Amino acid sequence: MAKRSRASDSRNAPARKGRRDAPRNRSSAEAGRPGRRRRWLVPALVLAALGAVVGLGWHTVSLDQRIQAQFEGKRWSLPARVFARPLELYAGQSLTPEELERELGLLHYRQGGDASGHYRREGDTLTLHTRGFPFPEGYEGPRRARVVFRGGRVHALEDPQTGAALALLRLEPALIANIYPRHGEDRLLVRLEDVPPALVQTLLTVEDRRFLHHFGVDPQGIARAALANLRAGRAVQGGSTLTQQLVKNYFLTPERTLVRKFNEAIMALLLEWRYSKAEILEAYLNEVFLGQQGARAIHGVGMASQFYFRERVSELGWPQIALLVGMIRGPSYYNPRAHPERALDRRNRILAMLRDQGQIAPETAQKAMQAPLGVSERVPAGSTPFPAFLELVQARLRQDYREADLREEGLIILTTLDPRVQLAAEEALRTRLRRLESERGLPLGQLEGAVVVTAADSGEVLALVGGRDVRRAGFNRALHARRPVGSVIKPFLYLTALSRPERFTLATPLQDTPLRLKLDDGEVWSPQNSDREYHGAVPLQEALVHSYNVATVRLGLEVGVERFVDRLRRLGLERELEPYPSLLLGAVEMTPLEVNGLYRVLASGGYRLPPRAIRAVLDREGRRLRRYGLSLNRVAEPGPVYLVTAALHQVTRSGTARSLGWRLPEALPVAGKTGTTGDLRDAWFAGFSGDLVGVVWVGRDDNGPTGLSGSSGALPVWADVMARASRQGLAPSRPEGVVWVPVDPATGLRAGEGCDPVRWMPFLNGSVPTGRAPCAHPEPPRPSAGAPAWWPD
């Protein structure tokens, strides 16, 4: 038994031992697994770290590429700037001191001081300091000049230091419009060297004192801001550097997240690594947000200085600099127009900071603190003050440039608009329409009108008014109102006739007698004169001067309506015309701009001059991209044009426009023609002086009758414009082969001693009347090639 038991014990012992040792064996196995994990954990951590480094590196490379792509080359979408013509000053020019001061006011020059953009006036002498500008011929820097006036003219133009005579002085042109990017950002790029050192000094003192020493992120600044905020119990300082602010505004969204803050720091370091401090500072000065006007966002110190002070940034003083820098913290909160007290307090605290840190002298700071804010009362218009003219400019630009180019490339567009002429046209139209409504008991605002003024020798559009509400962009009547023109078309029928001197002269008698004309549809047309009377046989010139309809129709039927249509097309009228007899009396719809084009042919001596609203286009650096030169084509012989001009001058002396005799200065002879349509619905006047061609239309948008004729409605507006704007009276050169001869108006024959009245008329060689009037003595005056160059009396 005992042996079995031992045997049994012997057999069972290993099992028991195994059972006792089993927990220890399991623990050893489990203890080996963490070792294996540790062996894998280190490589995993290394791989994760490498992945993070690679990911961060890849992210950093991506951010670096983004920085380079956006920061280099075209850094901003810039609006196109549209400028008026520059005023050119020279000795002998017709100009008064008051007119020059008005022009300087449009350019926001300040009286007093010697810096650029300032002038002084002492009696009839103005001393001024111009600003620089990139003209098509190259950049022209600021210049000083003394302008001496005498007798309504520039008597002398000289250097104020040396007294040497100056041949020419150009003022920079006035900005008249902006064509904005879609996002509405408005900025005017400035170079760092053009920014006053005081502004840079103030900016760094207030926003980033260690800008020149950190690498994009400033740990000291962050610590200082955190301590200041902790002490104040609220956020009173920011730790962002100028570089970080630029990154946030230029590259990132305004969201406040840790990811954005991380990207901001990385990009700030990259920006500092890639670019110099000067480049970063210049970019900041052009990017910083400083105000809002509707959808228009004001960015950069260049635009902000004009938006708030109407001055270039280079012209700012300490009070203005401190205000601009102070507004960076909160452009809306410190808006000087909306919150002047806040803005003043902020400005003065900035000045006190500069004083306490020794940046400016105490007396300078005190004087600056006592100065007013100096903000212009009126907010500079974000849109153009001349919308009708800008529409013409944009229509021409779209033929050569994409819309994106006009809105983003910062093009400099130099136009032909003459502010002096434009303002005169606007004032004349507004004033006269109000007066006409008052005098005739018409509802206020019922009358509308349009004015187009161009240069007689070049076709440049100097002024264009599309309606009485001159500042509102709306229906542009100067370009789009097609209205019947009435008698303003008659001179071109007479031009067609006079181009056949073997048949027609100014003395040719026309029959102004009843006329019944059967039309193609079987109806009978019987034209009537405006006075409802007939005048018998009248010289061709008298028929035009007094605008006799019946005589005109008889002339047109003999000339041929088809030939008249062909003449209008040659003169530049680009529309289909039906050769109906009513066309002879102006039964054709035209815009004021189209009518102006026809009269430019007469004013230029027979040349077709397309309307030109743009002189040149420059890129943002001032390099010329395109020049819009003068284009002309002779479409009428000078002799017949001269004869028609002589007749149109007589219209203003004794015809339907004779009231111009007392409306205009005696030294300003002109030529022109009235036009009135049926039921007194449209009133026109078209004419020219020696330098300007003007067309005026007055009527109603609903095409209702106005009770106004061309002489009572449109002529007064035209006279007001010419009296203020024209510098040169009519004095056309007499073409070769034209002679002046005294004529008996009753017979159209040569007059002489004993004839009264006598009309001097020009004739082409070979067409001079050979017959002698019965009233003349046996020896009438001989034709004289040496007669006065213009109108003999």
Side-chain angles (χ1 to χ4, degrees), residues 485-528:
V485 297
S487 295
V488 295
I489 206 172
K490 288 179 180 177
F492 307 98
L493 171 61
Y494 285 75
L495 176 66
T496 307
L498 293 170
S499 297
R500 299 169 58 191
E502 73 284 356
R503 173 63 186 88
F504 297 104
T505 71
L506 290 177
T508 300
L510 300 178
Q511 294 300 317
D512 189 57
T513 55
L515 173 65
R516 291 173 57 83
L517 187 64
K518 189 173 182 179
L519 305 179
D520 293 340
D521 58 4
E523 291 190 8
V524 176
W525 179 50
S526 182
Q528 300 290 319

Side-chain angles (χ1 to χ4, degrees), residues 579-596:
Y580 297 137
S582 58
L583 176 64
L584 303 171
L585 299 183
V588 56
E589 294 181 345
M590 296 171 61
T591 68
L593 184 64
E594 288 175 324
V595 175
N596 188 284

Side-chain angles (χ1 to χ4, degrees), residues 241-305:
T241 64
L242 284 185
T243 312
Q244 288 176 279
Q245 293 181 42
L246 176 61
V247 166
K248 179 180 65 176
N249 295 334
Y250 194 76
F251 298 102
L252 303 176
T253 62
E255 61 179 350
R256 296 188 176 186
T257 64
L258 290 176
V259 172
R260 188 198 64 75
K261 198 68 179 175
F262 176 76
N263 286 338
E264 177 187 299
I266 295 297
M267 295 177 81
L269 293 171
L270 289 170
L271 199 63
E272 293 265 358
W273 178 54
R274 283 281 182 190
Y275 303 100
S276 68
K277 291 287 186 180
E279 290 177 297
I280 294 171
L281 183 57
E282 183 176 274
Y284 181 90
L285 291 168
N286 284 302
E287 174 61 27
V288 61
F289 173 67
L290 285 166
Q292 189 81 27
Q293 183 196 19
R296 176 190 181 200
I298 307 302
H299 284 264
V301 297
M303 178 50 61
S305 63

Side-chain angles (χ1 to χ4, degrees), residues 560-605:
V561 182
E562 293 83 359
R563 184 175 294 176
F564 178 42
V565 169
D566 181 65
R567 169 68 66 170
L568 290 175
R569 289 172 179 159
R570 287 184 57 200
L571 297 181
L573 187 59
E574 298 176 350
R575 66 174 62 234
E576 288 299 321
L577 298 175
E578 295 295 337
Y580 297 137
S582 58
L583 176 64
L584 303 171
L585 299 183
V588 56
E589 294 181 345
M590 296 171 61
T591 68
L593 184 64
E594 288 175 324
V595 175
N596 188 284
L598 292 179
Y599 276 78
R600 283 199 302 276
V601 174
L602 301 178
S604 65

